[in-house]
Amino acid sequence: MKKSKKIAAITMARDDEFFLSRWIAYYGKQLGTENLYILLDGTDQKKPANAGNAHIKKLAHTAMSRAAGDKYRIGKLTDLAHELLKNYDIVIGCDSDEFLVVDPNTKKTLAEYLSESNIKTTVSGLGLDIGQHMKLEKPLDCDMALLEQREYALISTRYTKPVVINKPVRWGSGFHSIKSHNFHIDPNLYLLHFGAVDMNMLIKKAEKRGADWVNHLHRRGNGTINAVTSKKPQPEQFMHIARIMQQIFRPIYAFDKPGMLGLKRVVKIPERFKIYDL
């Protein structure tokens, strides 16, 4: 039996208690809260009630443009990952609304699966961008598990991120790429993104940004929500095809990122994934 590797998970958040508490609950169960490292953007940020033994550091908040803020955050997280890799075998880096899961068919925990994987610097899970089906699904009940309420996802190259590393490399903004490195999509890993899990939640976020954002959301909707609401779901087997496509095709402007020739395909999340109480 192979020895389990030492694995850490890192993230950075601001005003995001809803997702951050779920991020801690999930990765804490998978890896132990003592192996979670969280940067809070602002000294005014509250430590989540379920933080347990997680390592939390508060940073002074500075207002920045979106692009500058993205570069600042990934710089801080990359530096943190480099430091952790002195003592850890693997670091998982992702946003607080992203959950790296292993297919339940493997009968392995995330830690077991990654410990047994032959990781070549980095590995990615297939990106599934989960959205609310406006015709079939009710507004989110915050007291219930997310996957008990949402069944559809857009297969997304944007979220097929190289979130797992075992060497000190430089992530691009949002963990979307690794500079000067190829990506490798694992056949049993998925990165579940919940940023579009609820339209009401998106509207509340837009209200904080101004009336123009709210009007835009009402007029144009959200791309992920529009897709899962309007497109016929593909069979589960299409996810295997998507992995192959994303490994072969690359955007002409970013050869270190996956591509799917602009295709937008929706899948119904397999029932077995509901074991993850996210």
Side-chain angles (χ1 to χ4, degrees):
M1 187 178 226
K2 291 186 178 180
K3 181 181 177 182
S4 294
K5 293 181 179 178
K6 195 173 181 184
I7 306 172
I10 65 176
T11 195
M12 186 169 182
R14 176 174 174 78
D15 297 334
D16 199 13
E17 182 180 354
F18 176 82
F19 284 118
L20 184 57
S21 62
R22 283 162 175 75
W23 189 94
I24 291 170
Y26 172 70
Y27 288 104
K29 182 178 180 180
Q30 296 292 322
L31 309 174
T33 56
E34 69 276 10
N35 296 309
L36 307 185
Y37 294 79
I38 301 165
L39 301 180
L40 291 178
D41 185 12
T43 55
D44 61 332
Q45 300 293 291
K46 293 182 180 179
K47 179 180 177 181
N50 66 335
N53 294 319
H55 307 269
I56 297 178
K57 182 177 181 180
K58 296 182 181 182
L59 305 175
H61 175 69
T62 302
M64 302 180 190
S65 68
R66 180 172 180 175
D70 286 346
K71 289 182 179 180
Y72 166 76
R73 286 187 290 275
I74 204 62
K76 290 291 185 183
L77 289 164
T78 294
D79 291 344
L80 175 58
H82 287 190
E83 191 64 29
L84 291 176
L85 283 168
K86 295 176 182 178
N87 298 301
Y88 283 89
D89 301 300
I90 296 170
V91 171
I92 302 169
C94 60
D95 295 335
S96 58
D97 59 0
E98 296 171 347
F99 303 84
L100 183 70
V101 303
V102 61
D103 192 320
N105 281 342
T106 66
K107 309 297 183 184
K108 299 181 186 297
T109 66
L110 181 62
E112 289 169 343
Y113 190 82
L114 291 179
S115 293
E116 297 172 7
S117 298
N118 181 23
I119 300 173
K120 300 176 181 178
T121 306
T122 179
V123 73
S124 305
L126 182 68
L128 296 182
D129 194 9
I130 296 167
Q132 180 183 1
H133 193 302
M134 298 302 291
K135 296 178 181 178
L136 301 177
E137 297 172 339
K138 299 177 181 179
L140 202 68
D141 182 338
C142 296
D143 295 325
M144 291 176 60
L146 301 179
L147 290 180
E148 289 291 338
Q149 305 175 73
R150 297 293 181 259
E151 294 191 318
Y152 301 93
L154 176 67
I155 296 178
S156 172
T157 57
R158 180 172 174 77
Y159 294 104
T160 302
K161 298 182 178 184
V163 298
V164 179
I165 61 172
N166 62 2
K167 295 177 183 177
V169 293
R170 303 299 303 184
W171 273 303
S173 293
F175 303 99
H176 291 291
S177 64
I178 288 180
K179 300 183 184 301
S180 303
H181 279 274
N182 198 357
F183 59 89
H184 305 275
I185 307 173
D186 186 273
N188 293 305
L189 291 176
Y190 298 81
L191 188 68
L192 308 184
H193 174 252
F194 287 94
V197 72
D198 186 70
M199 179 59 85
N200 288 342
M201 191 179 294
L202 289 176
I203 291 173
K204 288 181 180 179
K205 287 184 178 180
E207 287 173 346
K208 294 180 180 179
R209 303 176 74 176
D212 288 344
W213 288 93
V214 177
N215 292 336
H216 177 82
L217 195 57
H218 283 302
R219 186 173 65 253
R220 299 281 302 274
N222 169 272
T224 299
I225 290 176
N226 291 346
V228 300
T229 301
S230 63
K231 292 182 176 295
K232 181 181 178 180
Q234 301 294 310
E236 181 182 339
Q237 291 79 0
F238 187 81
M239 292 193 284
H240 173 67
I241 297 172
R243 282 192 184 88
I244 296 173
M245 292 183 68
Q246 291 189 25
Q247 195 69 56
I248 295 173
F249 300 113
R250 313 295 173 93
I252 60 173
Y253 55 85
F255 283 100
D256 57 352
K257 294 180 181 179
M260 274 186 61
L261 300 177
L263 295 178
K264 292 187 177 182
R265 295 292 183 266
V266 169
V267 292
K268 189 171 183 179
I269 302 164
E271 187 74 16
R272 63 185 179 277
F273 281 75
K274 289 185 179 180
I275 69 165
Y276 292 114
D277 186 21
L278 303 175

